[in-house]
Amino acid sequence: MIDRPAYMQQIRPFMGKNVIKVLVGARRSGKSTLLELIRQRLISEGVAEQSMLHINFESSEYAGIANADDLTQYVAKHMTGTQGIIRLFFDEIQEVDHWEKAVRSFIVDYDADIYLTGSNARMLSSDLATYITGRYVTIDVYPFSFAEFLDAFRQAAGPVDERSAFRRYVAQGGFPFQTDLAFDETASLHYLEDLFSTILFKDVIRHAGIRDADSLERVIRYVISEEGHLVTAANIASYMKSEQRKVSAETIANYLNAASKAFLIYRVPREDTIAKRTLKINEKYYVVDQGLRHAIGLNNANAIDQVLEGIVYMELRRRGYAVRVGKIADKEIDFIARRGDELSYYQVSYLLGSQQTADREFGAFDGIRDNWPKYVLSMDEFPQTRDGIQGMNIIDWLLSNNR
């Protein structure tokens, strides 16, 4: 089991407190492992195992817990008579109908330290907000960052060069189960192909009540293939029409929203950088992990600029930034990242092999007059810096401690 200290650091201040800890993210991104790490941490600090109840609602062992009443009765049966704080760990809680009612009762009826995981953002619906307003904190969980992947890969394969490991990361991504496969590339990509289908059917189609599974999958595959490019529901509808599939722009928008709720793709709006306003047309989408992209037949090496952009986007999210695409007149900035009062700008390119490419990437920042950091990230071994804009090697940036 790979330790994930960055997440434990986020969770630690809330452990033992009467506030619900909600871990959300794509299926198999490591949420269950985090629950076990939390449990082990509590035990190491002297908490009795008898005060803990851990339920994975995807296990057939708990198939009889179908709704809030079932869950309430189960907890009462197993925790009645426990002295002091009880610790409740509920994995994939969205499988229980009206679970939020049961969780609210636990807050009221017990001195409870509660941890939940879920693979669909619908669990953070208005129902949850209504029942436990102000009583929960959300922690977003993602597949391995490159730094985490590198540590895990070295544990499996021994000393390995960072550049070699990054080539594997580009192809296989960072879903943690690869550690169980010793990072075998063929086995990992087979696993990821199946995982893509599981996310589609369990976390998108079922939760959103989508009937036309084939059209949904075609739309999602298209959006992933266009990762990092500006898209609209209308131009996706045109693509579907060319595939002899008539799907309305409204339906496509619903598909994209459902896939976003399942943390399969992430929507990134555009912003007029000078006017500081959100633009309502053309957005970008990024897949949660580049290994999924490669596993469904989109060769990552053939779209390396898109893939690197996606890796940088997800890393910014891991570091706690809210991210948008910037627009200044006819120029585009790949990412504007905000975290609290901090602001930074990023351009991502595979290589700045020509003066024209370098001028384009550095020139994207023309017109921005503030003094916030600006970066051009590339795979160049000796990146250039120009006019206060810092060039960085992408691998070095991913491994940097500038958190």
Side-chain angles (χ1 to χ4, degrees), residues 128-166:
L128 177 59
T130 298
Y131 278 93
I132 54 176
T133 300
R135 302 298 295 272
Y136 70 93
V137 60
T138 303
I139 293 97
D140 293 309
V141 180
Y142 304 101
F144 284 158
S145 66
F146 176 58
E148 291 176 311
F149 177 91
L150 181 62
D151 287 344
F153 191 59
R154 283 173 169 168
Q155 287 185 38
V160 63
D161 175 75
E162 292 171 357
R163 270 53 182 169
S164 299
F166 187 67

Side-chain angles (χ1 to χ4, degrees), residues 138 197 245:
T138 303
S197 297
R245 297 275 175 168

Side-chain angles (χ1 to χ4, degrees), residues 225-238:
S225 74
E226 291 295 306
E227 181 176 37
H229 295 160
L230 296 173
V231 297
T232 65
N235 59 36
I236 298 172
S238 296

Side-chain angles (χ1 to χ4, degrees), residues 166-186:
F166 187 67
R167 285 193 289 272
R168 296 290 288 272
Y169 186 67
V170 164
Q172 296 174 219
F175 274 97
F177 187 73
Q178 293 181 85
T179 58
D180 290 9
L181 303 173
F183 292 95
D184 179 83
E185 185 169 356
T186 300

Side-chain angles (χ1 to χ4, degrees), residues 27 58 92 94-95 120 122 199-210 216:
R27 183 176 295 270
E58 293 201 310
E92 300 297 350
Q94 76 276 352
E95 300 298 323
N120 196 293
R122 293 179 189 278
I199 293 173
L200 275 185
F201 286 96
K202 281 196 171 185
D203 302 321
V204 182
I205 293 170
R206 190 176 70 182
H207 280 280
I210 293 170
L216 167 76

